[in-house]
Amino acid sequence: MKFLAALRTTLLSILLSSAASLALAETYEAKLPDEINSSPELCKYAPCTEVLPGATSFSERKGQPRYVEGYAEEGGKKKLVGYVMLSTDITDTPAYSGKPVITLIGMDTSGHFVGVKILKHSEPILLLGIPESSLVRFNQQYLGKFVGENIEIGQSRPEENIVGLDAISGATVTVIAQNQVMMTSGTAVARQVGILKPTIREQARFAQTGTKPDWATLVKEGAVQRIVVTPEQVGLPRGSQPFIELWFGYLNQPDVGRAVLGDGPYNSLMSGLKEGEHALFVIRTGGKESFKGSGFVRGGIYDRVQVRQGADSFTFRDTDAANLYGIAAPGAPAFNESSIFIVRSKAFSAAYPWKFVFLGNRVDRATGARSFANFDTEYWLPAQYLQGGRPEVVKPDAPWVRVWKTRAPEIGLFAALLIAVATVYAFRDKLTRRATRTNKWPVNVFKYSAWVISIGFVGFGMLAQPSITQVLTWFHALLFQWKWELFLSDPFIFLFWIFIIVTVFIWGRGLFCGWLCPFGSLSELLYKIGGAVGLKRFQFQLPRKWHNRLKWVKYGVFFGLLAVSMFSMGLAEKLAEVEPFKTTFLVGLFNRSWPYTLFAAGLLGLSIFTERPFCKYLCPLGASLAMPSTFRWFGLKRKQECDTCKACAVGCGSQAIDENGRIDHRECLHCLDCMVLYTDAHACPPLAQERKRRTKAGLPLTPIGADGYFIPIKPAPARTEAAATTN
């Protein structure tokens, strides 16, 4: 009864601790008013005074992308003191959860960040793992920094004019995304209000051939580009028709403009343009969504489309649009909405690449909240239409590329580890033949080394512990919107999953789970150490009947998490705390509230007495990898006698060998002990029996063949008398 009371108290404490964590994480999946995304009065629904100190009043939203001005009372007059922007008005850069971190940002009139406040995030690591205060401290690093500086995650590099920010250990993807949000938002507004000057680009000089390409040729050359947004990309059910399909192109180039518009309309359009003005056309050929926006009013801004070139953004008012009545190019598709837009800025140049951006209204399936999402396609006028061809353009590296470059040595070592382990395992037959039941070091020296490196370098060093949350994230990305940049931002997890997927379909899940999983390696190593220090007499396995029942629990946990994720990804990631990985490696046993520490420490403590209890009975990640292991290409070898012989099953720590001697590769962790016995003439009963028979009969012991048996002795044919006489 005392034990039950203590257990009840512990479970209650875990629940209360979880509730406390949820209460403290005020911004996790916070319910924001719908008006915060649409109302002209942003600061009526957002705490603008907290991010712009000294401001007492604020303007309505203005500009494109949108921002508000903040004013202070000075001598009875209003004085402009800075600007406030809502990050999702400018960019929808997703964090690791696949959703943006909604941030309110304050900037003074000189372009320095003066306030940052997270309004809503969907990062479970900041709810039940790393404290949310870590993200607050990360954001505080921006205060006082100029928006025009080159700010990156990592160490400062003064010689390259790079200002570095300290990352959050275990939340690399989140902080990389947040840095993009801060810098994209800040520079967009700073350019609008004149703090940052627009980039001056050399204007294009057009080459004229006098030809009029048809539509197919224009598309093939890249003179006409296409944007397609599918329903699932904006949170709607998957359908056969696109949410919207747009075609667009640049019209000032004479060959392209005449081909698209015809001679008369082209000449008329060009005659109305001033120096430094540029025309482009847009047509809608699919979907029912309007690229002009249903809320557009005369004198207003087209809030669904814009052009971006480098860090400069160009928007369109009603005076920047003209009617487009038809496409002259043969083979052009039918369209149901069209327009010609004018870019009125000398900062824009058709000689350099630019992006046409469509802003769609996306619905969050879990919460029903609406927000804008950006969809863009790059356009660069083909070289044959420019005198001297395209200019040389050095594009800045994407954030994920910078991560790979800065961590190249560690990535190289990690990749070498994965290749080395796979290579060693590929030659397992040679290793197991050199080992015996009493001397397994030809195998164990590699396996134990992999465990130690996995625990120290991979787990505690690189924080590269794969998790079921990644499986759920990728599953949803495949269903709704896949973004390579999101997964490439963590190179170690990305490479690890390539290794896992490949090896699961070649050999089954056992190579990862049994050799390289940091938590599994730690659990197994504790079991081995326990046996070595005199605790072997206390070590045990569950009876077969209980093992056969409990091994299905992990599959239930996996399918339960998958089902919950279809309704609420946030809740599923909270429930994924059934994995002790975060507590053990990402955060640390002593950096979390005691119920989480007790749970992880309890599993590790239990591992001293029974082999890998979490891996065998609870691990949802193992369950997700076990199912495709059914379709592996190669399995472990067996003999006919294995159906009745129990020698291998007795020593199988994962209890993957059933009563009939069959290996269940969904449960096998590839310790290779059974393969050592497979060719051990003193430990494998069929081989030992044959060895004794031959020894007693005075017959030689031939090598053991690939089938696990001694190679048969075949008598040499007797020589004939004639052959003997000849000799």
Side-chain angles (χ1 to χ4, degrees):
M1 294 300 291
K2 291 182 179 180
F3 170 78
L4 292 176
L7 179 61
R8 185 166 57 250
T9 302
T10 300
L11 291 174
L12 182 60
S13 298
I14 293 175
L15 291 173
L16 291 174
S17 177
S18 299
S21 299
L22 290 171
L24 291 172
E26 296 177 353
T27 62
Y28 179 81
E29 292 291 3
K31 177 63 176 175
L32 300 178
D34 294 338
E35 293 83 0
I36 200 170
N37 294 311
S38 57
S39 173
E41 298 180 274
L42 168 65
C43 296
K44 184 177 179 180
Y45 303 96
C48 296
T49 55
E50 295 184 27
V51 298
L52 192 60
T56 56
S57 62
F58 299 89
S59 71
E60 292 187 346
R61 277 183 165 112
K62 56 175 55 182
Q64 187 65 21
R66 299 179 295 177
Y67 65 94
V68 300
E69 295 176 337
Y71 300 93
E73 293 290 338
E74 192 172 285
K77 296 182 179 180
K78 288 186 176 182
K79 178 185 177 182
L80 179 66
V81 294
Y83 311 93
V84 176
M85 62 213 81
L86 184 67
S87 62
T88 46
D89 279 346
I90 302 170
T91 177
D92 63 340
T93 302
Y96 192 76
S97 63
K99 300 178 182 179
V101 175
I102 301 178
T103 310
L104 196 65
I105 305 167
M107 180 175 68
D108 65 18
T109 54
S110 64
H112 292 82
F113 292 113
V114 293
V116 185
K117 184 176 179 63
I118 302 299
L119 301 183
K120 179 180 179 180
H121 73 85
S122 303
E123 306 297 281
I125 187 68
L126 301 175
L127 174 70
L128 297 169
I130 298 167
E132 195 176 272
S133 57
S134 297
L135 185 57
V136 174
R137 288 194 297 272
F138 170 80
N139 283 332
Q140 287 174 346
Q141 297 179 88
Y142 290 96
L143 302 185
K145 289 183 171 58
F146 180 57
V147 69
E149 293 178 312
N150 294 319
I151 300 176
E152 294 183 3
I153 305 301
Q155 294 183 341
S156 295
R157 303 192 297 279
E159 68 280 3
E160 300 178 36
N161 294 320
I162 300 297
V163 177
L165 298 179
D166 294 332
I168 301 175
S169 181
T172 306
V173 177
T174 301
V175 297
I176 289 175
Q178 184 65 2
N179 187 55
Q180 286 183 263
V181 165
M182 292 292 299
M183 301 313 299
T184 301
S185 301
T187 54
V189 173
R191 288 186 185 278
Q192 281 196 74
V193 300
I195 295 173
L196 296 178
K197 302 302 180 184
T199 303
I200 303 301
R201 302 177 178 88
E202 183 181 357
Q203 292 300 305
R205 298 189 300 275
F206 301 124
Q208 298 186 50
T209 65
T211 61
K212 289 184 180 180
D214 60 15
W215 184 265
T217 302
L218 291 170
V219 172
K220 183 178 180 181
E221 292 174 343
V224 171
Q225 294 286 356
R226 175 176 176 242
I227 289 180
V228 178
V229 180
T230 60
E232 55 268 29
Q233 287 179 294
V234 291
L236 299 176
R238 189 186 299 269
S240 58
Q241 298 298 317
F243 177 73
I244 194 170
E245 179 183 53
L246 302 175
W247 295 89
F248 67 95
Y250 182 75
L251 293 174
N252 285 42
Q253 207 289 331
D255 292 344
V256 176
R258 294 180 189 278
V260 173
L261 300 179
D263 291 333
Y266 172 77
N267 292 332
S268 176
L269 175 65
M270 291 299 108
S271 66
L273 295 183
K274 299 176 182 178
E275 182 182 358
E277 295 184 344
H278 309 265
L280 57 103
F281 79 94
V282 183
I283 60 174
R284 182 185 69 189
T285 56
K288 297 181 180 180
E289 185 74 4
S290 170
F291 66 78
K292 296 180 180 180
S294 58
F296 177 77
V297 295
R298 187 171 183 82
I301 291 177
Y302 290 95
D303 62 357
R304 294 297 179 89
V305 293
Q306 60 182 247
V307 167
R308 291 180 186 163
Q309 191 167 49
D312 298 315
S313 296
F314 308 96
T315 56
F316 307 106
R317 305 184 71 86
D318 60 340
T319 54
D320 302 324
N323 293 326
L324 173 63
Y325 297 106
I327 301 293
F335 57 88
N336 48 25
E337 188 177 32
S338 61
S339 186
I340 293 174
F341 290 110
I342 312 298
V343 178
R344 305 185 193 275
S345 173
K346 293 182 180 180
F348 179 86
S349 172
Y352 295 87
W354 50 275
K355 291 181 179 181
F356 183 77
V357 184
F358 170 74
L359 290 83
N361 202 348
R362 181 163 59 193
V363 180
D364 188 320
R365 289 194 174 188
T367 64
R370 291 179 174 270
S371 61
F372 276 106
N374 297 333
F375 304 93
D376 58 58
T377 295
E378 184 176 89
Y379 184 99
W380 197 353
L381 200 61
Q384 66 265 32
Y385 296 125
L386 294 168
Q387 292 182 20
R390 290 172 169 174
E392 183 178 353
V393 174
V394 179
K395 297 182 179 180
D397 290 332
W400 69 266
V401 174
R402 294 197 293 269
V403 172
W404 284 67
K405 286 183 176 180
T406 55
R407 307 203 69 179
E410 299 103 308
I411 293 171
L413 290 173
F414 183 63
L417 170 66
L418 300 180
I419 294 171
V421 170
T423 302
V424 166
Y425 189 79
F427 289 95
R428 62 192 179 280
D429 288 347
K430 295 183 180 296
L431 298 177
T432 55
R433 284 176 177 272
R434 295 178 181 177
T436 65
R437 182 182 60 179
T438 57
N439 179 23
K440 297 177 183 176
W441 279 106
V443 173
N444 288 348
V445 67
F446 294 104
K447 187 168 59 177
Y448 291 0
S449 297
W451 290 350
V452 172
I453 295 172
S454 176
I455 297 166
F457 174 64
V458 180
F460 289 110
M462 299 297 101
L463 307 178
Q465 168 67 66
S467 167
I468 191 61
T469 59
Q470 294 147 13
V471 176
L472 298 177
T473 299
W474 292 0
F475 178 76
H476 281 257
L478 286 171
L479 285 180
F480 305 119
Q481 186 178 7
W482 181 272
K483 288 191 176 182
W484 280 106
E485 298 85 353
L486 178 63
F487 307 113
L488 287 165
S489 297
D490 193 327
F492 303 102
I493 291 296
F494 182 79
L495 290 177
F496 219 158
W497 272 104
I498 292 176
F499 172 86
I500 291 169
I501 292 169
V502 171
T503 57
V504 160
F505 283 102
I506 296 177
W507 296 302
R509 76 171 178 118
L511 184 56
F512 163 70
C513 294
W515 289 54
L516 279 176
C517 174
F519 188 84
S521 299
L522 180 59
S523 178
E524 180 83 1
L525 191 61
L526 288 172
Y527 181 78
K528 297 297 184 184
I529 292 174
V533 299
L535 298 177
K536 196 171 188 66
R537 64 183 182 275
F538 300 111
Q539 293 179 331
F540 65 94
Q541 284 187 343
L542 288 182
R544 169 62 62 175
K545 66 176 183 178
W546 283 106
H547 169 78
N548 288 342
R549 294 170 182 171
L550 292 177
K551 71 180 182 181
W552 297 106
V553 172
K554 61 180 176 287
Y555 296 96
V557 174
F558 167 68
F559 282 113
L561 291 173
L562 184 62
V564 170
S565 73
M566 300 305 294
F567 300 97
S568 172
M569 188 66 177
L571 177 59
E573 290 177 319
K574 297 173 198 174
L575 295 175
E577 278 294 317
V578 70
E579 292 179 325
F581 308 155
K582 196 182 300 178
T583 301
T584 305
F585 297 109
L586 298 186
V587 183
L589 284 169
F590 302 107
N591 295 326
R592 300 197 73 180
S593 55
W594 71 267
Y596 296 104
T597 299
L598 179 63
F599 177 63
L603 288 172
L604 292 173
L606 185 60
S607 298
I608 297 173
F609 302 100
T610 186
E611 198 167 349
R612 293 182 181 249
F614 177 77
C615 305
K616 290 192 287 189
Y617 305 121
L618 276 179
C619 183
L621 176 63
S624 70
L625 301 179
M627 289 176 284
S629 296
T630 304
F631 308 103
R632 73 203 174 280
W633 291 339
F634 301 104
L636 300 180
K637 297 177 180 179
R638 308 300 286 154
K639 297 186 178 80
Q640 291 181 354
E641 291 84 354
C642 292
D643 294 346
T644 56
C645 177
K646 306 296 182 184
C648 292
V650 170
C652 181
S654 60
Q655 296 176 262
I657 303 176
D658 65 18
E659 297 87 345
N660 298 315
R662 294 171 300 201
I663 297 177
D664 184 352
H665 282 83
R666 294 168 299 184
E667 303 298 319
C668 178
L669 299 179
H670 291 191
C671 68
L672 298 183
D673 284 357
C674 63
M675 297 309 298
V676 171
L677 266 64
Y678 187 79
T679 54
D680 188 343
H682 292 271
C684 177
L687 287 180
Q689 185 179 4
E690 176 66 8
R691 175 183 57 80
K692 292 177 181 178
R693 186 189 70 80
R694 291 192 182 191
T695 301
K696 185 176 182 180
L699 298 175
L701 295 177
T702 56
I704 298 172
D707 60 357
Y709 296 100
F710 286 108
I711 295 175
I713 300 174
K714 296 182 179 180
R719 294 190 302 172
T720 63
E721 184 176 342
T725 303
T726 302
N727 290 334

